[in-house]
Amino acid sequence: MAGFIRFMNGPVGRTLRVGLGLVLIVWGLVGIQAPWGYLVAALGLVPLSLGLSGRCILELFVSHSL
């Protein structure tokens, strides 16, 4: 698990999360009717913000520090 978290905190993992967040936001606002589209767009903020900040949400569930 620690290796996966290190990968996700690296440049490739961060880029993937930012890209996923942007795709979810655009898809939610353009491709899905309200109110579900707004929900998908709001969920897209999670990977986007975590990718920009360089943190992985799985770090919350790992008991040891990396």
Side-chain angles (χ1 to χ4, degrees):
M1 180 67 83
F4 179 73
I5 292 173
R6 274 194 292 279
F7 169 76
M8 291 306 287
N9 284 338
V12 175
R14 291 179 68 186
T15 303
L16 289 173
R17 286 183 286 158
V18 169
L20 174 65
L22 291 174
V23 166
L24 287 173
I25 291 168
V26 170
W27 182 44
L29 294 177
V30 176
I32 302 175
Q33 292 181 345
W36 298 108
Y38 297 134
L39 178 64
V40 171
L43 289 175
L45 292 173
V46 174
L48 177 67
S49 62
L50 290 173
L52 290 173
S53 70
R55 306 303 298 178
C56 180
I57 198 164
L58 293 176
E59 291 174 332
L60 298 173
F61 304 107
V62 176
S63 60
H64 64 282
S65 63
L66 297 175

